[in-house]
Amino acid sequence: MKRKVLALLLSVSTMFAFSGCSEASKVSHNLSLEADNFNDVLQVTVINCLQGDVLFQMTGKMSITADTSDNQLEVVVEDEKGEYKKHFIGLSDNVTYVVEDITAGDVSKNKYTLNFNPEMWIPVETDVID
């Protein structure tokens, strides 16, 4: 009898321990899982904080991992053929990013785009040597 009561108390205390997760935590976990499984369309915007300029945007089904040891984002995207490609976004003290879930928007299910800000490119002149 003691064992049954002890088992019941252990079960009830375990139930209370796991029910401590807030609804927001569960929703956040589920949204991250959906994105990592390429079910949501995300948009990454990379910003130069010194100038306030958008360096580029990337939109599509993607899984994003912040690699703090290398100071970069590792982005795996799924294209319209169901194939995967990996991109790296280098971060610095003056470059930051924003990730938005835009699944509800009017976007293609599989297509992803990468848009660079042309004003951010530094012009390069080359000399022709004869």
Side-chain angles (χ1 to χ4, degrees):
M1 180 71 171
K2 273 186 168 180
R3 287 185 183 180
K4 287 183 182 180
V5 172
L6 185 58
L8 179 62
L9 287 174
L10 185 58
S11 297
V12 170
S13 65
T14 302
M15 181 180 71
F16 283 119
F18 285 116
S19 67
C21 295
S22 70
E23 185 173 350
S25 296
K26 292 175 192 173
V27 169
S28 177
H29 173 76
N30 289 340
L31 287 172
S32 295
L33 191 60
E34 285 295 298
D36 284 342
N37 287 322
F38 304 98
N39 294 325
D40 289 342
V41 176
L42 304 177
Q43 178 172 294
V44 178
T45 303
V46 179
I47 302 164
N48 175 338
C49 296
L50 295 178
Q51 303 297 322
D53 294 324
V54 172
L55 300 176
F56 67 89
Q57 288 183 320
M58 187 175 207
T59 305
K61 289 186 169 186
M62 60 185 79
S63 174
I64 303 166
T65 303
D67 184 347
T68 55
S69 65
D70 288 336
N71 228 16
Q72 65 188 15
L73 293 180
E74 296 177 0
V75 182
V76 178
V77 296
E78 180 182 13
D79 67 13
E80 62 274 359
K81 297 176 186 173
E83 296 175 353
Y84 300 96
K85 296 174 177 37
K86 190 168 189 176
H87 304 280
F88 299 91
I89 301 171
L91 302 174
S92 67
D93 292 342
N94 59 356
V95 173
T96 190
Y97 65 94
V98 177
V99 178
E100 300 173 78
D101 183 346
I102 59 170
T103 302
D106 184 22
V107 294
S108 171
K109 179 178 164 187
N110 293 313
K111 182 179 177 185
Y112 75 93
T113 59
L114 178 60
N115 300 310
F116 285 89
N117 181 349
E119 294 176 8
M120 297 304 299
W121 290 99
I122 299 171
V124 177
E125 293 182 24
T126 59
D127 293 329
V128 178
I129 300 174
D130 292 323

